[in-house]
Structures are given as C-alpha cells and as structure tokens.
Amino acid sequence: MKIPLSWLQLSHEKVRLFVAIAGITFADVLMFMQLGFRDALFDSSTKMHKTLEGDLFMLSSQSDSTAFSSRFSRRRLYGIAGIKGIEYVTPIYIGSADWKNPELGNTRRIFVYGINPLYSTLKLPGVEQNIEKIKFPDVVLFDRLSRLDFGPIAQNYQQGKTVVTEVSGRKIRVGGLFSLGTSFGADGNIITSDINFLRLFPNRDPGLIDMGIIKLEPGVDRDLILKTLQTKLVDGDVQVFDFDGLIVHEKKYWQTRTAVGFVFTLGTIMGFIVGIVIVYQILYTDVADHLPEYATLKAMGYTDLYLLGVVFQEAIILAIIGYLPSVSLTMLLYFGAANATGLPIAMSATKAITVFVLTGVMCAASGAISVGKLRTADPADIF
Amino acid sequence: MKHQKNEVIVIRNLSHFFGEGILRKQILFNINLTLKSGEIVIMKGPSGSGKTTLLTLIGALRSPQSGSLQVLGQELVGTNRRKMVKIRRQIGYIFQGHNLLECLTARQNVQMSIELHNNLSSEEAKQKSIAMLEAVGLGDRVEYYPHNLSGGEKQRVAIARALVSHPQLVLADEPTAALDSKSGRDVVEIMQRLAKELGSTILIVTHDNRILDIADRILEMEDGRLRVNHIPKAS
Ligand SMILES: Nc1ncnc2c1ncn2[C@@H]1O[C@H](COP(=O)(O)OP(=O)(O)O)[C@@H](O)[C@H]1O
Ligand SMILES: [Mg+2]
C-alpha cells in the first residue's frame, strides 16, 4: 500500500481536523433538520387522507388542499352514485372552529370533520368503536394527539370524567378519543356526524361539501371507473382522484403553492452552502499551508493528477467522517422535535442518502474550488 | 547532436529570459557545459548571477527557451510537460531548505521517492528507506517527524530521499546554507560518499568555500555567464 498522504495530511493537524468535522456535522445536521421538517410537513398533510375508507375521491376543481378546500355541491357526488360498479358515495364536511379550553377558557382553532356515521369513512383507531356515540346530538370525538393547548381532554376523558366544552360557542360533549395527530394545517382535530357538524357551523349551506368518498363494489376495475368519471366530469367544477392521485395532489399543494415547502428547501440549500464554505476554507488553508511541500512533490516527479487526487481524497474523507456523527445527532434532535411538535419527524433512508450525497457533492465542490490553488505550487520556486 | 553515453548533461548556447515586453531581462547568456557521469561539480558565483535559474532548467523544473539542453539523453528545449515530469523522476534534488513533508516521518518522506518508481512492495520500500536512513547516519531517527529533527538531520533525510532511488544525477542548491559548518561539512561528505558509491553525477551550487575540496571541477557563474571552468588544486 502506498503512503496515504491525504489522510496523514488531514490527521497531522488534529485541531484543524476537529474543526472540519464539527463544521461538516453542523452543515449536515442543518440539512437534516430542514429536510426532516419538510418531509414531516408533507407527510402530516396527507395523514388524514391515508385513513380514508374509499376507492375514489371527489374534490372541488378549485381545491388545492383539503386543509383550505373549496366546496362543491353534494348533488355532484350523488349524481354519480348510480353508475354501475359504485357501491356507495358519502360526503365529508371539513371546517375549522374555535375550541374552548375547558380549564383555561381561552379558544384555539381546531379542525372539525363531519362524516356520515352510517359509513366507516375514517379508518382510525377509536373512530369505529365510537361511531355510535356521534349519532347523539352535540357529541364529538377528540384527537388525543392534538396539541396540549386544547386542554387536558384525553386525560380527563380517560379518568371517566364527563368532558364538556364549547365549539364555536355551542356546547358539546366528548364522546370518545381517536388518534390522528397534528399537521402544519391543524393543531388538533375532532370528528362528529354530518348533522352535528352543521349544528356547529349554522351558516354553512348543507348542500355544499368539502370532499366526496366513492366506494366501489368489490372486483370492479377502479381505473376504468376513474377514467369514466374523469371524462364525464371534464370541464366541471369537481375533480376525481384515486388514492395515489389524492396524495400527490395534496403534497403538490404544500410543495409548490405554499411558502412553507420553499422555506425548508431554501434552508436545506443554506446548509449545503454553509458546508461548502466550511470545507472550502479547510481545504484551501490546507493546500496553501502545504504549498512548498506540494511543490517539492512536483519537483520529485509527482504529477498534478496525483496532487489533485490528494485534495479530493481529503474532501471525501472529510465528507464521510463529518457525516457519520451528524446522523446520530440528527436522530436525537428528530426525537426531541417529534415530541415537542407532534409532527412525524423521523430519520428515513431517503433522507440519510440524500444528505450523504449532498455532503459528497459539497466536499467535492469545495475540493474543486481549492485545487485551483495547487497550480500556484511551482516546483521552480523551491530551489 | 549525438549523445554520448557518459555525458549526463550537455548544454549548448543556452540563454534564458525572465519577464515580458520591456521588462524582459536576460538572465543566462550562451551557457555551454558538459557534465560527465560520476563527476562532482561545484558551481559558485555571486548571488543573483543565475545559478539557481540554471539548476532549475537542468532539473526540468522550468521550461528552457533557446539553445540546447540535454539531460540524461533527453532534449529539454521544446519538450512537453509529461516528458519533463518523467525526467524529474530520474533526478535527485536537494534543496536549501530541507522541504520535507511535515506530516510524514523521516522514513515515509524517503518512501515517497521510492513510490514514484512503483515496482516495490510496501514492505520492500519500507526496508529500503530504512537502509537509506541508516546510510546517512539516521538509523535511530527513522520514525521521527521533521518537527523533532535538527537542521542537519533534516538535510540528511533530504539526502536520503534524493538518493534512495539511485538517480544518475543529483542537483543540490546551497545544501549547507542553513547549517552550521560542522553539520554542513557532514552533509556534503555523506552526499559525496553515497554519490560515489552509486556512481551518480552531482552538481552542487554553493557559497561555502570550505566544501570546495570535494569537487572534481569548479564552475563560476557571473552575470549569467559561465566564466571560469577550472580544476581545484589537488588536495
Ligand atoms: N521567476 C523569476 N522572475 C523574474 N526574475 C527572476 C526569477 N527568478 C530569478 N530571477 C532573477 O534572475 C536573476 C538570477 O537569479 P538566480 O538564478 O536565483 O540567482 P542565484 O541563484 O545565482 O542567486 C536574479 O536577478 C533574479 O532576480
Ligand atoms: Mg540561488
């Protein structure tokens, strides 16, 4: 084995090496956090959709996101119910209302879903068992993963207390708990029947719904029905998706139509640039400090390519040993962030690979900028 | 021009200029010089007379401009970079500063030279480096970093590095300038002894009058002209 000059050069100066690793780790953690929040945002925005019991989904054509949806006439939904192959259709009402914290008396916006209790529209732990309860007037199910600002609802309920509070100024009772979780759009959720929903929103037109669930008979060709519906509804005020299409539609809104997705992408780029600056700084000083040594190697007959290799190897070594600690540090921070926000922030293979590749590119780019300095190593200058 | 086997360096009408346009200045004027195999030649001359410039041209560290310059049978005027790099590998350089790599031990520094001629296993290269360090009297300093060596010791490591690959030609530019007279003398004697053993040709640039006696021949450079070409008095 040849003498590993790049590693010896790096490890010879322990303090500089430590600073380099710390800098890269910092940049990596920065990128991980931004990507983590961004992914969590996209994941959480589709959390509710993933629980929907249905095959096809109808939204208003103006609707980019169910969190801020436009409404459409429920006649559009019932109008297709007779098509062969469709078992049933059922609407969902979505709105946000003021929830009064029963302990403190202050109010907070909460997401309210109104569903027909005859169908299991939402496949969520806690909904099916409690579906009978919301048939009673002014009874709601409360999301136990809602932010704590809504009050100690879950604790009180589990202790057997009767939990009563006001939503939009109307007295309601919590009849059960379910688990959905928060998203960037919603700090908390409640589910109730369509009839109760309209009681909470007396100004809403009962004929306008937010989403339509279409359940197909077993064994029918879903794609065929989707195509039929799409041609039938072309130029109309509604659009129909299958499950994957719905998820893409929802994510696209957050990725492209809101500043939130952009902000986190920008944050990732910032981390990347910070990383380039740090690694460049380290590699450049390293080359500059060793210029006479590199010139000596050239005089001995080492090629420019060899020296280029040394600098790039240094870059790759830095990338790897800076990346590894960032993964464990990030997992720690993800854990803390997930606990604090209730958002699904977690390490994923995609993120791990993305950041690793970004680190590699970051170090290689810095290497490419700093090798320019190598050319100033003139073997004729050292005599 | 025909190359004779025992002629290591053949220089004919070599001139060299630095600078461009009105700043262009001639540094070397019509140099003619032949160095034979196994010769030890010293070049003296006042500072700024062009000695280093000539040495860097001979060593293929700088591109020659006009005339003819043959080193180890290879014409360097008008040659390409790749050939220059190849020539460099056949020459041992000893600089005024030792120019060792600070992050490598004495042994690794010497080994860097062997690895350029990559036909040895790493264990062989290591043994050869150690043997060479022993030959310059540094058998007990093999794993020392340059930081922990004295000036004379560092220069001896540099000699070991320059000679370990048995170059036919050794170029040294004021190798004793940074040393006290005792270690300066030691260093030159080691160079002389090893070069004789290996049959290398040595060209030494020096100001140091106390070492002139090791030379077979003394050249004198003045204002870019190689003036005198005399044999030292027999010692
Ligand atoms: N790279 C260069 N560019 C311009 N002038 C140079 C350069 N290198 C040396 N010189 C000039 O060439 C002359 C000879 O320098 P040098 O060969 O180093 O002399 P010596 O080694 O005999 O002291 C000096 O006047 C010096 O200023
Ligand atoms: Mg000089």
Side-chain angles (χ1 to χ4, degrees):
Chain A
M1 202 189 73
K2 301 226 168 194
I3 291 170
L5 185 59
S6 45
W7 167 245
L8 294 173
Q9 201 83 274
L10 278 179
S11 58
H12 189 63
E13 275 170 85
K14 302 276 185 298
V15 176
R16 186 182 288 172
L17 179 63
F18 179 79
V19 171
I21 295 172
I24 295 167
T25 304
F26 173 77
D28 282 355
V29 168
L30 205 62
M31 290 192 278
F32 266 128
M33 290 320 284
Q34 301 296 326
L35 288 175
F37 277 113
R38 203 194 60 172
D39 284 4
L41 157 68
F42 298 152
D43 284 351
S44 71
S45 68
T46 59
K47 222 189 291 189
M48 185 275 290
H49 305 77
K50 287 176 182 156
T51 73
L52 291 172
E53 172 68 43
D55 298 300
L56 299 173
F57 308 89
M58 186 181 278
L59 289 179
S60 157
S61 297
Q62 269 100 58
S63 201
D64 295 315
S65 161
T66 39
F68 310 102
S69 65
S70 305
R71 288 168 206 136
F72 60 95
S73 166
R74 70 178 162 197
R75 270 183 313 202
R76 309 287 291 153
L77 181 64
Y78 291 122
I80 61 156
I83 290 177
K84 198 167 174 309
I86 293 180
E87 186 182 334
Y88 66 82
V89 296
T90 177
I92 300 184
Y93 294 90
I94 304 169
S96 68
D98 284 330
W99 169 279
K100 185 171 173 186
N101 181 328
E103 306 267 301
L104 302 174
N106 60 329
T107 60
R108 261 199 95 117
R109 299 299 281 180
I110 197 163
F111 255 71
V112 188
Y113 294 96
I115 60 172
N116 183 342
L118 296 179
Y119 300 108
S120 48
T121 311
L122 295 162
K123 273 176 301 180
L124 269 173
V127 174
E128 236 150 317
Q129 299 91 295
N130 295 311
I131 201 79
E132 293 302 316
K133 309 241 180 84
I134 59 171
K135 289 179 179 168
F136 291 97
D138 298 321
V139 173
V140 303
L141 306 181
F142 183 83
D143 182 357
R144 74 172 89 226
L145 298 177
S146 298
R147 296 276 292 264
L148 294 175
D149 314 82
F150 294 100
I153 312 300
Q155 290 97 298
N156 288 354
Y157 179 82
Q158 270 161 342
Q159 284 161 18
K161 295 181 193 162
T162 310
V163 183
V164 176
T165 185
E166 283 171 25
V167 174
S168 296
R170 188 178 177 94
K171 220 165 177 189
I172 57 96
R173 183 167 64 80
V174 172
L177 299 174
F178 66 96
S179 307
L180 178 60
T182 57
S183 72
F184 278 80
D187 288 336
N189 306 291
I190 55 178
I191 295 174
T192 188
S193 70
D194 42 6
I195 296 166
N196 282 332
F197 180 93
L198 292 168
R199 285 187 180 121
L200 292 174
F201 297 89
N203 296 329
R204 272 189 65 159
D205 178 348
L208 294 180
I209 62 175
D210 293 88
M211 196 188 226
I213 309 286
I214 302 161
K215 181 79 181 163
L216 303 181
E217 281 161 3
V220 299
D221 184 346
R222 192 190 56 192
D223 293 343
L224 190 73
I225 298 204
L226 177 62
K227 279 227 180 66
T228 316
L229 289 178
Q230 277 168 343
T231 27
K232 196 175 150 80
L233 298 167
V234 76
D235 297 332
D237 54 352
V238 293
Q239 45 190 345
V240 181
F241 301 99
D242 61 7
F243 176 75
D244 292 340
L246 180 72
I247 299 294
V248 169
H249 177 76
E250 183 72 23
K251 281 194 176 173
K252 203 170 91 195
Y253 168 77
W254 290 96
Q255 276 164 355
T256 61
R257 298 291 295 278
T258 66
V260 199
F262 172 71
V263 163
F264 287 117
T265 308
L266 194 69
T268 312
I269 296 171
M270 293 281 286
F272 182 73
I273 292 172
V274 166
I276 288 192
V277 172
I278 293 173
V279 182
Y280 168 69
Q281 200 68 40
I282 298 286
L283 288 179
Y284 182 88
T285 0
D286 197 63
V287 172
D289 284 2
H290 298 115
L291 220 46
E293 298 184 6
Y294 289 139
T296 305
L297 290 175
K298 280 194 194 179
M300 288 164 64
Y302 276 96
T303 57
D304 290 353
L305 201 66
Y306 172 84
L307 297 179
L308 224 70
V310 170
V311 173
F312 274 101
Q313 280 167 33
E314 287 188 20
I316 297 304
I317 293 170
L318 286 177
I320 292 168
I321 55 182
Y323 172 76
L324 293 178
S326 81
V327 175
S328 18
L329 198 61
T330 297
M331 302 226 290
L332 215 70
L333 290 172
Y334 277 174
F335 183 74
N339 272 348
T341 62
L343 290 167
I345 305 175
M347 184 57 83
S348 67
T350 317
K351 279 198 280 279
I353 293 168
T354 305
V355 172
F356 185 69
V357 170
L358 284 175
T359 315
V361 174
M362 176 174 102
C363 290
S366 319
I369 317 174
S370 28
V371 288
K373 184 78 186 160
L374 266 183
R375 253 175 276 135
T376 62
D378 184 356
D381 284 344
I382 47 175
F383 261 127
Chain B
M1 199 184 331
K2 239 178 76 210
H3 168 69
Q4 294 193 300
K5 209 168 176 0
N6 65 339
E7 288 173 348
V8 175
I9 300 173
V10 181
I11 304 175
R12 293 292 174 264
N13 298 321
L14 181 71
S15 294
H16 197 80
F17 297 82
F18 279 127
E20 301 270 315
I22 53 161
L23 294 174
R24 188 166 145 102
K25 193 176 159 225
Q26 188 161 9
I27 301 299
L28 296 178
F29 298 82
N30 278 315
I31 305 286
N32 286 287
L33 173 67
T34 304
L35 254 61
K36 290 205 162 41
S37 177
E39 264 191 308
I40 297 184
V41 177
I42 282 182
M43 180 163 52
K44 358 189 274 172
S47 174
S49 58
K51 304 182 298 297
T52 296
T53 305
L54 181 57
L55 215 60
T56 54
L57 287 169
I58 294 173
L61 304 180
R62 200 185 282 291
S63 295
Q65 298 159 345
S66 66
S68 164
L69 167 59
Q70 286 185 17
V71 177
L72 302 169
Q74 174 81 46
E75 176 61 59
L76 291 186
V77 177
T79 193
N80 59 30
R81 263 187 88 75
R82 212 166 48 81
K83 287 214 177 96
M84 282 176 75
V85 170
K86 238 172 125 183
I87 283 284
R88 289 177 194 166
R89 298 186 178 182
Q90 300 171 49
I91 299 176
Y93 300 89
I94 296 158
F95 312 94
Q96 176 176 343
H98 52 82
N99 282 321
L100 298 176
L101 273 66
E102 290 292 333
C103 69
L104 303 182
T105 63
R107 192 260 305 162
Q108 288 170 326
N109 265 289
V110 176
Q111 211 169 318
M112 284 301 286
S113 171
I114 299 179
E115 287 185 358
L116 271 172
H117 312 89
N118 50 28
N119 30 25
L120 290 183
S121 76
S122 80
E123 190 50 35
E124 281 172 319
K126 194 172 166 181
Q127 290 316 319
K128 203 172 165 190
S129 307
I130 294 171
M132 198 66 212
L133 283 168
E134 279 163 356
V136 298
L138 291 176
D140 55 343
R141 296 283 190 275
V142 169
E143 295 302 329
Y144 278 48
Y145 283 94
H147 179 69
N148 297 319
L149 296 172
S150 73
E153 288 170 335
K154 281 188 247 198
Q155 199 58 296
R156 281 190 273 160
V157 176
I159 292 173
R161 179 175 65 180
L163 295 177
V164 72
S165 302
H166 300 183
Q168 282 173 267
L169 176 61
V170 177
L171 301 176
D173 195 357
E174 311 203 23
T176 61
L179 305 178
D180 61 69
S181 59
K182 167 81 174 65
S183 25
R185 180 82 209 169
D186 288 351
V187 158
V188 174
E189 277 174 4
I190 290 169
M191 260 169 67
Q192 183 197 23
R193 173 169 56 80
L194 292 173
K196 279 269 179 281
E197 280 171 27
L198 302 171
S200 306
T201 307
I202 307 190
L203 178 56
I204 306 175
V205 166
T206 188
H207 274 112
D208 194 344
N209 284 320
R210 289 163 304 204
I211 63 169
L212 297 182
D213 60 289
I214 65 152
D216 301 322
R217 203 148 54 106
I218 294 174
L219 310 170
E220 215 159 325
M221 181 77 92
E222 208 175 306
D223 292 335
R225 291 179 175 85
L226 214 45
R227 291 232 329 222
V228 199
N229 201 336
H230 64 82
I231 313 286
K233 292 167 210 85
S235 48

Coordinates of all heavy atoms in Angstrom, one line a residue, chain A residues 162-221:
Chain A
T162 N -66.8 13.5 32.7 CA -67.6 14.0 31.5 C -66.9 15.2 31.0 O -66.7 16.2 31.8 CB -69.0 14.3 31.9 OG1 -69.5 13.2 32.7 CG2 -69.9 14.6 30.7
V163 N -66.4 15.2 29.8 CA -65.7 16.4 29.2 C -66.7 17.2 28.4 O -67.1 16.7 27.4 CB -64.5 15.9 28.4 CG1 -63.7 17.2 27.9 CG2 -63.6 15.0 29.2
V164 N -66.9 18.4 28.9 CA -67.9 19.3 28.2 C -67.1 20.6 27.9 O -66.4 21.1 28.8 CB -69.1 19.5 29.1 CG1 -70.0 20.5 28.4 CG2 -69.8 18.2 29.3
T165 N -67.3 21.1 26.7 CA -66.8 22.4 26.4 C -67.6 23.1 25.3 O -68.7 22.6 25.0 CB -65.3 22.4 26.1 OG1 -64.8 23.7 25.9 CG2 -65.0 21.6 24.8
E166 N -67.1 24.1 24.7 CA -67.8 24.8 23.7 C -67.0 24.8 22.4 O -65.8 25.1 22.4 CB -68.1 26.3 24.0 CG -69.2 26.4 25.0 CD -69.3 27.8 25.6 OE1 -68.9 28.8 24.9 OE2 -69.8 28.0 26.7
V167 N -67.7 24.6 21.2 CA -67.0 24.7 19.9 C -67.9 25.7 19.2 O -69.1 25.5 19.1 CB -67.0 23.4 19.2 CG1 -66.5 23.6 17.7 CG2 -66.1 22.4 19.9
S168 N -67.3 26.8 18.7 CA -68.0 27.9 18.1 C -69.1 28.4 18.9 O -70.2 28.7 18.4 CB -68.5 27.5 16.7 OG -67.5 27.1 15.8
G169 N -68.9 28.4 20.2 CA -69.9 28.9 21.2 C -71.0 27.9 21.4 O -72.0 28.2 22.2
R170 N -71.0 26.7 20.9 CA -72.0 25.7 21.1 C -71.5 24.6 22.0 O -70.4 24.2 21.9 CB -72.4 25.1 19.7 CG -73.6 24.2 19.8 CD -74.0 23.6 18.5 NE -75.1 22.7 18.6 CZ -76.4 23.0 18.5 NH1 -76.7 24.3 18.1 NH2 -77.4 22.2 18.7
K171 N -72.4 24.3 23.0 CA -71.9 23.3 24.0 C -71.8 21.9 23.4 O -72.8 21.5 22.7 CB -73.0 23.3 25.1 CG -72.3 23.2 26.5 CD -73.3 23.5 27.6 CE -72.5 23.3 28.9 NZ -73.3 23.3 30.0
I172 N -70.7 21.2 23.6 CA -70.6 19.9 23.1 C -70.0 19.0 24.2 O -69.5 19.4 25.2 CB -69.6 19.8 21.9 CG1 -68.3 20.4 22.2 CG2 -70.2 20.5 20.7 CD1 -67.2 19.4 22.5
R173 N -70.1 17.6 24.0 CA -69.6 16.7 24.9 C -68.6 15.8 24.1 O -68.9 15.4 23.0 CB -70.7 15.9 25.5 CG -70.3 14.9 26.6 CD -71.5 14.4 27.4 NE -72.4 13.6 26.5 CZ -72.2 12.3 26.2 NH1 -71.1 11.7 26.6 NH2 -73.1 11.7 25.4
V174 N -67.5 15.4 24.8 CA -66.6 14.5 24.1 C -67.0 13.1 24.4 O -67.2 12.6 25.6 CB -65.1 14.7 24.7 CG1 -64.2 13.6 24.1 CG2 -64.6 16.1 24.2
G175 N -67.3 12.3 23.3 CA -67.9 11.0 23.5 C -66.9 9.9 23.3 O -67.2 8.7 23.4
G176 N -65.6 10.3 23.0 CA -64.6 9.3 22.7 C -63.3 9.9 22.2 O -63.3 11.1 21.9
L177 N -62.3 9.1 22.1 CA -61.0 9.6 21.6 C -60.6 8.8 20.4 O -60.9 7.6 20.2 CB -59.9 9.4 22.7 CG -60.2 10.1 24.1 CD1 -59.1 9.7 25.1 CD2 -60.2 11.6 23.9
F178 N -59.8 9.4 19.6 CA -59.1 8.7 18.5 C -57.7 9.3 18.3 O -57.4 10.3 19.0 CB -60.0 8.9 17.2 CG -60.0 10.3 16.6 CD1 -59.1 10.7 15.7 CD2 -60.9 11.2 17.1 CE1 -59.1 12.0 15.2 CE2 -61.0 12.5 16.6 CZ -60.1 12.9 15.6
S179 N -56.9 8.7 17.5 CA -55.5 9.1 17.3 C -55.3 9.4 15.8 O -55.3 8.6 15.0 CB -54.6 8.0 17.7 OG -54.9 7.6 19.0
L180 N -55.1 10.7 15.5 CA -54.7 11.1 14.2 C -53.4 11.9 14.2 O -52.4 11.4 13.7 CB -55.8 12.0 13.5 CG -55.5 12.5 12.1 CD1 -55.3 11.4 11.2 CD2 -56.6 13.4 11.7
G181 N -53.3 13.0 15.0 CA -52.1 13.7 15.1 C -52.2 15.0 14.4 O -53.0 15.2 13.5
T182 N -51.2 15.9 14.8 CA -51.3 17.3 14.2 C -50.6 17.3 12.9 O -49.9 16.4 12.5 CB -50.5 18.2 15.2 OG1 -49.2 17.8 15.3 CG2 -51.2 18.3 16.5
S183 N -50.8 18.4 12.2 CA -50.1 18.7 10.9 C -49.9 20.2 10.9 O -50.3 20.9 11.8 CB -51.0 18.2 9.7 OG -52.1 19.1 9.6
F184 N -49.2 20.6 9.8 CA -48.9 22.0 9.7 C -50.3 22.8 9.6 O -50.4 23.9 10.0 CB -48.0 22.3 8.6 CG -46.6 22.1 8.9 CD1 -46.0 20.9 8.9 CD2 -45.8 23.2 9.2 CE1 -44.7 20.7 9.2 CE2 -44.5 23.0 9.5 CZ -43.9 21.7 9.5
G185 N -51.2 22.1 9.0 CA -52.5 22.8 8.8 C -53.4 22.7 10.1 O -54.3 23.5 10.2
A186 N -53.2 21.8 10.9 CA -54.1 21.6 12.1 C -53.4 21.3 13.3 O -52.5 20.4 13.4 CB -55.1 20.4 11.7
D187 N -53.7 22.0 14.4 CA -53.1 21.7 15.7 C -53.9 20.7 16.5 O -53.4 20.1 17.4 CB -53.1 23.0 16.6 CG -52.1 24.0 16.1 OD1 -51.2 23.6 15.4 OD2 -52.3 25.2 16.3
G188 N -55.2 20.5 16.1 CA -56.0 19.5 16.7 C -57.2 19.1 15.9 O -57.5 19.8 14.9
N189 N -57.8 18.0 16.2 CA -58.9 17.5 15.3 C -60.0 17.0 16.2 O -59.8 16.4 17.2 CB -58.4 16.4 14.4 CG -57.2 16.8 13.6 OD1 -57.3 17.6 12.7 ND2 -56.1 16.2 13.9
I190 N -61.3 17.2 15.7 CA -62.4 16.5 16.2 C -63.2 15.9 15.1 O -63.2 16.4 14.0 CB -63.3 17.4 17.1 CG1 -63.7 18.6 16.4 CG2 -62.6 17.7 18.4 CD1 -64.7 19.5 17.3
I191 N -63.9 14.8 15.4 CA -64.8 14.2 14.4 C -66.2 14.1 14.9 O -66.4 13.8 16.1 CB -64.3 12.8 14.0 CG1 -62.9 12.8 13.4 CG2 -65.2 12.0 13.1 CD1 -62.2 11.5 13.2
T192 N -67.1 14.4 14.1 CA -68.5 14.3 14.6 C -69.4 13.9 13.4 O -68.9 13.7 12.2 CB -69.0 15.6 15.2 OG1 -70.3 15.3 15.8 CG2 -69.1 16.7 14.3
S193 N -70.7 13.7 13.6 CA -71.5 13.4 12.5 C -71.8 14.6 11.6 O -71.6 15.7 12.0 CB -72.9 12.8 13.0 OG -73.6 13.9 13.6
D194 N -72.3 14.3 10.4 CA -72.6 15.4 9.5 C -73.7 16.3 10.1 O -73.6 17.6 10.0 CB -73.0 14.9 8.1 CG -73.9 13.7 8.2 OD1 -74.3 13.3 9.3 OD2 -74.2 13.1 7.1
I195 N -74.6 15.7 10.8 CA -75.7 16.5 11.3 C -75.1 17.4 12.5 O -75.4 18.6 12.5 CB -76.8 15.6 11.9 CG1 -77.4 14.9 10.7 CG2 -77.9 16.4 12.6 CD1 -78.3 13.7 11.1
N196 N -74.3 16.9 13.3 CA -73.7 17.7 14.4 C -72.8 18.8 13.8 O -72.7 19.9 14.3 CB -72.8 16.8 15.3 CG -73.7 16.0 16.3 OD1 -74.8 16.5 16.6 ND2 -73.2 14.9 16.7
F197 N -72.1 18.4 12.7 CA -71.2 19.4 12.1 C -72.0 20.6 11.6 O -71.6 21.7 11.9 CB -70.5 18.7 10.8 CG -69.6 19.6 10.1 CD1 -68.2 19.6 10.4 CD2 -70.0 20.5 9.1 CE1 -67.3 20.4 9.7 CE2 -69.2 21.3 8.4 CZ -67.8 21.3 8.7
L198 N -73.1 20.4 11.0 CA -73.9 21.5 10.5 C -74.5 22.3 11.7 O -74.7 23.5 11.5 CB -75.0 21.0 9.6 CG -74.4 20.4 8.3 CD1 -75.4 19.7 7.4 CD2 -73.7 21.6 7.4
R199 N -74.6 21.7 12.8 CA -75.1 22.4 14.0 C -74.0 23.4 14.5 O -74.2 24.5 14.9 CB -75.4 21.5 15.2 CG -76.7 20.8 15.0 CD -77.1 20.0 16.2 NE -78.4 19.3 16.1 CZ -78.5 18.0 16.2 NH1 -77.4 17.3 16.5 NH2 -79.7 17.5 16.1
L200 N -72.7 22.9 14.3 CA -71.6 23.7 14.8 C -71.3 24.8 13.8 O -70.7 25.8 14.1 CB -70.3 22.8 14.9 CG -70.3 21.8 16.0 CD1 -69.0 21.0 15.9 CD2 -70.3 22.5 17.4
F201 N -71.7 24.6 12.5 CA -71.5 25.7 11.5 C -72.9 26.1 10.9 O -73.2 25.7 9.8 CB -70.6 25.1 10.4 CG -69.2 24.8 10.8 CD1 -68.9 23.5 11.3 CD2 -68.2 25.7 10.8 CE1 -67.6 23.2 11.7 CE2 -66.9 25.4 11.2 CZ -66.6 24.2 11.7
P202 N -73.6 26.8 11.7 CA -75.0 27.0 11.3 C -75.1 27.9 10.0 O -76.1 27.9 9.3 CB -75.6 27.8 12.4 CG -74.5 28.3 13.2 CD -73.3 27.4 13.0
N203 N -74.0 28.6 9.7 CA -74.0 29.5 8.5 C -73.7 28.7 7.2 O -73.7 29.3 6.1 CB -73.1 30.6 8.6 CG -73.5 31.5 9.8 OD1 -74.7 31.6 10.0 ND2 -72.6 32.1 10.5
R204 N -73.3 27.5 7.4 CA -72.9 26.7 6.2 C -74.1 26.1 5.5 O -75.0 25.6 6.1 CB -71.9 25.6 6.5 CG -70.5 26.1 6.5 CD -69.5 25.0 6.6 NE -69.5 24.1 5.5 CZ -68.4 23.3 5.2 NH1 -67.3 23.4 5.9 NH2 -68.5 22.6 4.2
D205 N -74.0 26.2 4.2 CA -75.0 25.6 3.3 C -74.9 24.1 3.4 O -73.8 23.5 2.9 CB -74.9 26.1 1.9 CG -75.9 25.5 0.9 OD1 -76.5 24.5 1.3 OD2 -75.9 26.0 -0.2
P206 N -75.9 23.3 3.9 CA -75.7 21.9 4.0 C -75.5 21.2 2.6 O -75.0 20.1 2.5 CB -77.1 21.4 4.5 CG -77.8 22.6 5.0 CD -77.2 23.8 4.3
G207 N -75.9 21.9 1.6 CA -75.7 21.3 0.2 C -74.3 21.4 -0.3 O -74.0 20.8 -1.4
L208 N -73.4 22.1 0.4 CA -72.0 22.2 -0.1 C -71.1 21.4 0.8 O -71.0 21.6 2.0 CB -71.6 23.7 -0.1 CG -72.3 24.6 -1.0 CD1 -71.8 26.0 -0.9 CD2 -72.2 24.1 -2.5
I209 N -70.4 20.5 0.1 CA -69.5 19.6 0.9 C -68.0 19.8 0.5 O -67.7 20.5 -0.5 CB -69.9 18.1 0.6 CG1 -69.7 17.8 -0.9 CG2 -71.3 17.8 1.1 CD1 -69.9 16.3 -1.2
D210 N -67.1 19.3 1.3 CA -65.7 19.5 1.1 C -65.0 18.4 0.3 O -64.1 18.6 -0.4 CB -64.9 19.7 2.4 CG -65.4 21.0 3.1 OD1 -66.4 20.9 3.8 OD2 -64.7 22.0 2.8
M211 N -65.5 17.2 0.5 CA -64.9 16.0 -0.2 C -66.0 14.9 -0.3 O -66.9 14.8 0.5 CB -63.8 15.5 0.7 CG -62.8 14.6 0.0 SD -61.7 13.9 1.2 CE -60.2 14.1 0.4
G212 N -65.8 14.2 -1.4 CA -66.7 13.1 -1.6 C -66.0 11.8 -1.6 O -64.9 11.7 -2.3
I213 N -66.4 10.8 -0.9 CA -65.8 9.5 -0.9 C -66.6 8.5 -1.8 O -67.8 8.5 -1.6 CB -65.8 8.8 0.5 CG1 -65.2 9.8 1.6 CG2 -65.0 7.5 0.5 CD1 -63.7 10.0 1.5
I214 N -65.9 7.9 -2.7 CA -66.6 6.9 -3.6 C -66.1 5.5 -3.3 O -64.9 5.3 -3.4 CB -66.4 7.3 -5.0 CG1 -66.8 8.8 -5.3 CG2 -67.1 6.3 -6.0 CD1 -66.2 9.4 -6.5
K215 N -67.0 4.7 -2.9 CA -66.7 3.3 -2.6 C -67.2 2.4 -3.7 O -68.3 2.5 -4.1 CB -67.3 2.9 -1.2 CG -67.0 1.5 -0.8 CD -65.6 1.4 -0.2 CE -65.3 0.0 0.3 NZ -63.9 -0.2 0.5
L216 N -66.3 1.6 -4.2 CA -66.6 0.7 -5.4 C -67.0 -0.6 -4.9 O -66.6 -1.1 -3.8 CB -65.5 0.6 -6.3 CG -65.0 2.0 -6.9 CD1 -63.8 1.7 -7.9 CD2 -66.1 2.7 -7.6
E217 N -67.8 -1.3 -5.7 CA -68.2 -2.7 -5.4 C -66.9 -3.5 -5.6 O -66.0 -3.2 -6.4 CB -69.2 -3.2 -6.4 CG -70.6 -2.7 -6.0 CD -71.6 -2.8 -7.1 OE1 -71.2 -3.3 -8.2 OE2 -72.7 -2.3 -6.9
P218 N -66.8 -4.6 -4.8 CA -65.6 -5.4 -4.9 C -65.4 -6.0 -6.3 O -66.4 -6.4 -6.9 CB -65.8 -6.6 -3.9 CG -67.0 -6.2 -3.1 CD -67.8 -5.1 -3.8
G219 N -64.2 -6.0 -6.8 CA -63.9 -6.7 -8.0 C -64.1 -5.8 -9.3 O -63.7 -6.2 -10.4
V220 N -64.5 -4.6 -9.1 CA -64.7 -3.7 -10.3 C -63.3 -3.0 -10.7 O -62.5 -2.8 -9.8 CB -65.8 -2.7 -10.2 CG1 -67.1 -3.4 -10.0 CG2 -65.5 -1.7 -9.1
D221 N -63.2 -2.7 -11.9 CA -61.9 -2.1 -12.4 C -61.9 -0.6 -12.0 O -62.7 0.2 -12.5 CB -61.8 -2.2 -13.9 CG -60.5 -1.7 -14.4 OD1 -59.8 -1.0 -13.7 OD2 -60.2 -2.0 -15.6

